[in-house]
Amino acid sequence: MSAIILFDGVCNFCNASVNFVIARDRAGYFKFAPLQSEIGEDVIERHGIDTTETDSVILVEDNFAYTHSTAALRIARRLDGLWSWLFLLIVIPRPIRDVFYRLFARYRYRLFGRQDACMMPTPDIRDRFLS
């Protein structure tokens, strides 16, 4: 069993986050695809996700799509080490969590920059990416 993380492939922070997750997901639970890829677009359409509202990360787990802070916390829950404890923040009401998530997402390009193209996975992690 696995889950899919769709991420903004041109966002430097998002790419760093993918590498962060890979390093802390020794079980290989997560697979990855850029939002801008064919697979990403297919998943977005299949789950009826409005990309004007969600353009940073989407988690598809057990046939459900999670966005914003809920996606981030559900990803953290599966990570090795103490990172899984971040899932406890799920008790904070979603509208409050999402205010902070959306604020950060809005300014991520200004804070961390962006690339002209999606990241290319290295050979040692290529099998974690869907194509």
Side-chain angles (χ1 to χ4, degrees), residues 71-122:
L73 293 175
R74 291 183 69 91
I75 292 167
R77 179 179 68 160
R78 293 284 191 159
L79 298 181
D80 302 328
L82 296 176
W83 295 104
S84 62
W85 286 74
L86 287 174
F87 186 70
L88 294 174
L89 295 173
I90 203 82
V91 300
I92 298 171
R94 186 174 46 86
I96 295 170
R97 291 189 325 248
D98 283 353
V99 164
F100 294 103
Y101 181 91
R102 288 178 180 179
L103 183 65
F104 181 83
R106 182 181 308 146
Y107 294 104
R108 70 187 187 274
Y109 291 143
R110 281 191 209 163
L111 295 170
F112 298 97
R114 65 184 295 167
Q115 303 173 20
D116 293 331
C118 293
M119 74 178 272
M120 294 298 297
T122 58

Side-chain angles (χ1 to χ4, degrees), residues 49-67:
I49 297 168
D50 181 0
T51 54
T52 62
E53 289 290 316
T54 303
D55 66 350
S56 55
V57 67
I58 299 167
L59 171 66
V60 179
E61 186 175 42
D62 298 328
N63 238 4
F64 291 98
Y66 302 95
T67 61

Side-chain angles (χ1 to χ4, degrees), residues 37-50:
S37 68
E38 276 186 47
I39 289 175
E41 291 173 359
D42 180 54
V43 170
I44 289 166
E45 183 178 326
R46 195 169 350 124
H47 288 279
I49 297 168
D50 181 0

Side-chain angles (χ1 to χ4, degrees), residues 115-131:
Q115 303 173 20
D116 293 331
C118 293
M119 74 178 272
M120 294 298 297
T122 58
D124 58 322
I125 61 171
R126 189 165 288 138
D127 63 328
R128 303 283 302 271
F129 287 78
L130 304 173
S131 56

Side-chain angles (χ1 to χ4, degrees), residues 2 17 19 33 85 107:
S2 66
S17 296
N19 290 326
W85 286 74
Y107 294 104

